[in-house]
Amino acid sequence: MLLFVGCSVVNKPDNKTTTVTTTAASTTTTQKEKSKLCGEWTTEFELLDTHELLTLILDLNEDGTAEYKYGYYLSEVTESFKGTWSEKDGKLFLNLCGGPFYMGEETPADELYELDCVYRFEFEETGLSLKYDEGGALVYGSEGREIFLKPAE
């Protein structure tokens, strides 16, 4: 049985993050409110030059880790990235590293590259709208285009 000695709630200035800290006789734990961005998001995205469809999958975990992968529609994953994510003032910050995906193998070190990007986000009735802000783009050449993601089924 834990005996709580103290409890404090701190609302961050962005009014979106609440940190609750409880202090027990011998233990201190901190819980961060789960972001609405957490979860797996997916979409089909058309390339303007070839009109081919890509499937994009963006997984944002509660612990701040992220995974992003894409490939041609109804095909294998083309590239895969892992890293971290954060949000602030309506912007999604992604700091990822990866490259070409080889089934069952890690991407060779000489083919890895960083994908750091910032997107403005808005929640809509059926999903999440991402609008390019700065840095790299989730899809090469998609700067200026909106990406609409739906929760993965």
Side-chain angles (χ1 to χ4, degrees), residues 62-116:
E62 287 183 58
D63 66 359
T65 59
E67 185 172 355
Y68 168 63
K69 52 191 164 194
Y70 70 89
Y72 290 98
Y73 183 69
L74 297 177
S75 186
E76 300 291 325
V77 172
T78 303
E79 289 195 316
S80 177
F81 300 85
K82 290 183 180 183
T84 60
W85 72 277
S86 61
E87 65 175 292
K88 185 177 179 184
D89 299 329
K91 292 184 181 183
L92 170 63
F93 297 84
L94 295 167
N95 303 101
L96 306 170
C97 184
F101 182 77
Y102 300 102
M103 203 59 146
E105 297 180 27
E106 289 190 30
T107 304
D110 64 338
E111 294 183 37
L112 289 173
Y113 64 95
E114 292 182 15
L115 177 59
D116 296 329

